[in-house]
Amino acid sequence: MANHVRLFLLLESDRQELERLLRASTTPAGLSRRARAVLLMVEGVSGVEIARRVGYTVVQVSRIRRRFAEAGLAGLHDQQRSGRPTTVSARKRAQVVALTLKRPAAGLTHWTTRDMARRTGVSHTTVHRLWRAHALQPHRVETFKFTTDPDAEEKIHDIVGLYLNPPSKAVVLSLDEKTQIQALNRTQPLLPLRPGIPAKQTHDYQRNGLTSLYAALEVANGRVIGECRERHTGLDFVAFLKQVVRYYPGRELHVILDNSSTHSTPAVKDWLVAHPRVHFHFTPTGASWINMVEAWFGILTRKSIRRGSFDTVRALVRHILNYIEHWNQDSTPFVWTKEPADIIRKAVRR
């Protein structure tokens, strides 16, 4: 019976929600496994195979199938467990939730479990359970920024179109600068990694100067052209553009870049007029994250710069160029997945 495949219909909205739960890093592990099991059911996978892939028993797979058929997505969430009856009244629970959504006392920025426990007269573990039950996380804060560019939607469609459907016989480059990279030298030698002991470095350091990295990421294959310069000016930007053009002789170039002041100086505009095969595509104001090279800058920071120790700027530059060479030996392109409508809905204030 477990090998018998029973298909059922799934609404497109439910499928999208199940796939979102499966992708999201904040989804509880149990809910993610149940979402994966349902998606496998829709694909026609047998109960025995689902149990093997997901790590459930055949009986658990049958139970998930029944719960989803009866209650839909709500049936996949954790159900109320048996145990000792609650000793906190509904009114007290509502008070904790309501106070959490309000500002704490003067001088504080957010509630802690113990501050809330003292205010409401319950234990801090009770506060913690209530916050978990209502998905409240006062200790966390996330950043956001809405673009105010009046042409934001047009620019988003333009840039995402270059990612998803690049023009034939042309090269799409994601270009930007990582400015003011510091050559930091730790005051004492680093202690290497050992079994049971992580690598260690001193918290204090000496500053030995700055450099600015100009980088152009080829969207199609992930290769990077990079150059470090002492300054960050329009003339330095033009010098790097000349290097990029020499790297792609005779090719039409579509360059995605942000709205830095060095990208629109008179020298840059004159250079563009003299090179009609180069086309600029500017990101919306306040949305430079849409520039794909920013993802590569994040990798560079984590894997090459942050834990380094450099006694001179020349040593830092040599280290960065070595990393670029190492990256290009086995470059991997980034895959853009967001549709323009999804970006506009989240990044553009209406």
Side-chain angles (χ1 to χ4, degrees):
M1 292 186 299
N3 282 315
H4 180 65
V5 178
R6 291 180 294 171
L7 299 176
F8 57 88
L9 297 177
L10 184 67
L11 297 176
E12 183 61 28
S13 57
D14 289 345
R15 180 191 292 274
Q16 293 177 359
E17 178 62 16
L18 289 171
E19 292 175 348
R20 186 193 68 80
L21 291 173
L22 197 60
R23 291 194 307 267
S25 60
T26 56
T27 303
L31 179 57
S32 178
R33 291 173 68 191
R34 291 189 285 272
R36 184 187 176 200
V38 173
L39 289 173
L40 291 174
M41 295 174 192
V42 175
E43 295 175 3
V45 181
S46 66
V48 171
E49 180 63 18
I50 294 174
R52 187 189 67 82
R53 294 189 191 181
V54 183
Y56 284 133
T57 65
V58 175
V59 175
Q60 288 174 312
V61 172
S62 298
R63 187 181 299 123
I64 292 171
R65 185 191 299 273
R66 185 181 67 253
R67 284 170 54 179
F68 185 78
E70 293 175 353
L73 292 173
L76 300 183
H77 290 269
D78 291 333
Q79 296 181 338
Q80 187 69 29
R81 299 181 183 273
S82 60
R84 189 183 69 176
T86 179
T87 57
V88 181
S89 66
R91 182 169 184 173
K92 179 63 70 175
R93 293 196 298 269
Q95 180 189 11
V96 172
V97 173
L99 285 175
T100 305
L101 298 176
K102 295 180 180 178
R103 281 183 173 274
L108 298 176
T109 58
H110 61 281
W111 289 104
T112 64
T113 55
R114 285 170 171 78
D115 288 337
M116 181 61 69
R118 284 191 292 268
R119 173 67 183 276
T120 56
V122 298
S123 67
H124 68 91
T125 56
T126 298
V127 174
H128 179 66
R129 284 196 297 268
L130 288 173
W131 283 357
R132 287 193 62 183
H134 291 83
L136 296 172
Q137 299 176 324
H139 64 286
R140 293 186 59 192
V141 62
E142 296 182 350
T143 60
F144 77 97
K145 184 176 181 62
F146 291 110
T147 178
T148 57
D149 193 326
D151 301 322
E153 295 189 19
E154 179 182 350
K155 292 179 179 179
I156 291 172
H157 278 282
D158 178 34
I159 293 174
V160 175
L162 289 173
Y163 291 152
L164 299 180
N165 188 24
S168 59
K169 299 181 180 180
V171 177
V172 179
L173 297 173
S174 178
L175 190 150
D176 202 1
E177 305 95 352
K178 185 174 180 63
T179 60
Q180 297 185 349
I181 306 175
Q182 299 188 71
L184 303 179
N185 189 21
R186 302 293 167 175
T187 56
Q188 298 180 27
L190 278 67
L191 300 181
L193 172 71
R194 295 182 179 180
I197 303 176
K200 295 183 179 181
Q201 62 183 15
T202 59
H203 68 279
D204 52 343
Y205 47 79
Q206 297 173 342
R207 293 185 175 92
N208 296 315
L210 302 170
T211 188
S212 293
L213 170 63
Y214 289 79
L217 170 73
E218 187 173 345
V219 173
N221 55 30
R223 290 184 59 84
V224 174
I225 305 171
E227 180 184 12
C228 292
R229 303 187 71 87
E230 295 181 1
R231 299 182 302 169
H232 177 223
T233 65
L235 294 178
D236 291 287
F237 179 60
V238 170
F240 180 65
L241 287 175
K242 293 178 180 178
Q243 177 182 345
V244 172
V245 168
R246 286 194 298 268
Y247 193 84
Y248 300 98
R251 302 288 298 277
E252 183 179 358
L253 302 180
H254 291 268
V255 180
I256 300 170
L257 65 170
D258 62 18
N259 296 274
S260 173
S261 59
T262 58
H263 298 165
S264 55
T265 62
V268 174
K269 293 179 180 178
D270 293 340
W271 185 88
L272 277 178
V273 172
H275 295 78
R277 65 186 178 95
V278 180
H279 309 278
F280 279 4
H281 302 262
F282 290 99
T283 63
T285 304
S288 59
W289 50 265
I290 203 174
N291 199 351
M292 197 176 285
V293 74
E294 296 290 349
W296 184 82
F297 281 153
I299 297 173
L300 171 72
T301 301
R302 292 192 304 271
K303 299 182 69 173
S304 180
I305 298 177
R306 182 173 293 160
R307 291 171 55 173
S309 184
F310 313 100
D311 53 1
T312 63
V313 174
R314 179 177 296 180
L316 171 62
V317 171
R318 184 167 56 248
H319 181 80
I320 293 173
L321 296 181
N322 286 338
Y323 178 77
I324 294 175
E325 182 180 356
H326 170 76
W327 171 274
N328 288 335
Q329 289 175 359
D330 188 24
S331 60
T332 302
F334 298 103
V335 179
W336 191 268
T337 58
K338 282 288 186 181
E339 294 290 337
D342 298 330
I343 300 174
I344 292 169
R345 184 168 59 251
K346 291 185 177 181
V348 180
R349 179 185 290 276
R350 297 183 181 277

